[in-house]
Amino acid sequence: MIQVLMIIGTRPEVIKCFPVMEALRADGNFEVTVVFTGQHKELLSMMVDDLNVKNHTNLNIFQEGQSLSSITCRSLEALDTMEEFQNKHFDYCLVQGDTTTVFAGALWAFYNKIPVGHIEAGLRSGNLWSPYPEEANRKMVSVIADYHFAPTEEARNNLLKEGINKDRIFVTGNTVIDALRLSLRDGYRFQSPDLQNMSDRPKVLLTAHRRENQEDLEDIFRAVLDSVKDRDVEVIFPMHPTPRVRNVAKKVFNHTNVRTMEPLCYHDMVHLLQRVECVVTDSGGLQEEAPGFGKPVLVIRKETERPEGIRAGTCKLVGTDYDTIRKNLEELLDHGPLYQSMTKAVNPYGDGYAAQRITKILKGE
């Protein structure tokens, strides 16, 4: 049996690793050990339950007010002291994306001479400080990794420019499209009480959580609010647990056209995406997921490490400026030329079978 260790820390990692877990276990040639660091607490537990992730260990490193340094140190120490690892040989360690857990997990595997496979490798914004610390995490993991599972040709080219051996780079598509394919259900009923018995009013999905946007949240939220407050449109805002996000949301969103709520489970989010008019977000995953349903995405960031969506026309980079966000969101809500072009653009992130490709590569096929 081929022994595979998967180290996961946050909600997005669970979503994007789940199809790989399922594909490896279904193949029959792999024994998969899943370890959660617990970098995210409530959001991670929600995803584990929602996706019914079996046979996993949680290191529970989360602490209130945790720093990036403490996440890294506690992850390394907790992995070092796991009894299940004593005298066990792993053929591969898989990590996904760009979080501090991803960097710490790859570093731990390197220290223990375990070949590292990086799922969603090669994304670059070109600015080491944005997204922070994700851009640096990705670049450091690329130095450590033995197998680079790039979601697109552009990601592959980024790795080639950095001197990565072409024979170690594999364009697989993005596993988040696999997750969408696996999660769609006919006749789905929302689990969150906030989404049950929803009206037929047009809806905008808003998410915001990134560190680099924390000081601009009030401008972002006011732009969204002012775009919809005189329209028959409803904003759905699942609030990230970050206190700063919640405090600003409570200050700004005092209008009946904005519904704030607790974070949604993955299946609720997928089926909500099918129903909204458009998405306003700083999330990386939503830049990939929403276009799968033909939903325009306004990216409230100054740079993105997912330029394929911008070029394909599925996403538009609008920054954090009040006037720019409001102008573009109003144009989408008016179903103008921007809306028409974005809904017809083709999602560049794959066909939903990236996990099967990764499985074949790990078998040497």
Side-chain angles (χ1 to χ4, degrees), residues 244-257:
R244 168 73 176 164
V245 173
R246 292 181 171 235
N247 291 338
V248 177
K250 289 175 183 176
K251 176 182 177 181
V252 175
F253 290 142
N254 55 356
H255 196 281
T256 55
N257 282 10

Side-chain angles (χ1 to χ4, degrees), residues 34-87:
V34 178
V35 174
F36 297 116
T37 63
Q39 178 179 334
H40 282 179
K41 190 177 180 182
E42 292 85 358
L43 295 183
L44 182 66
S45 297
M46 177 191 293
M47 288 303 104
V48 171
D49 293 341
D50 192 35
L51 295 173
N52 194 24
V53 179
K54 298 181 176 67
N55 303 323
H56 63 273
T57 300
N58 194 329
L59 302 179
N60 291 308
I61 68 160
F62 177 84
Q63 292 181 358
E64 292 291 342
Q66 60 191 4
S67 68
L68 297 174
S69 299
S70 64
I71 295 170
T72 305
C73 293
R74 287 201 310 279
S75 296
L76 289 170
E77 290 171 354
L79 288 165
D80 254 352
T81 56
M82 274 197 65
E83 291 184 6
E84 293 93 329
F85 289 178
Q86 305 306 315
N87 302 316

Side-chain angles (χ1 to χ4, degrees), residues 120-123 150-160 169 308:
E120 200 184 67
L123 277 64
T152 64
E153 283 291 340
E154 180 147 350
R156 177 180 182 272
N157 290 334
N158 290 336
L159 293 164
L160 290 172
I169 306 172
E308 299 93 341

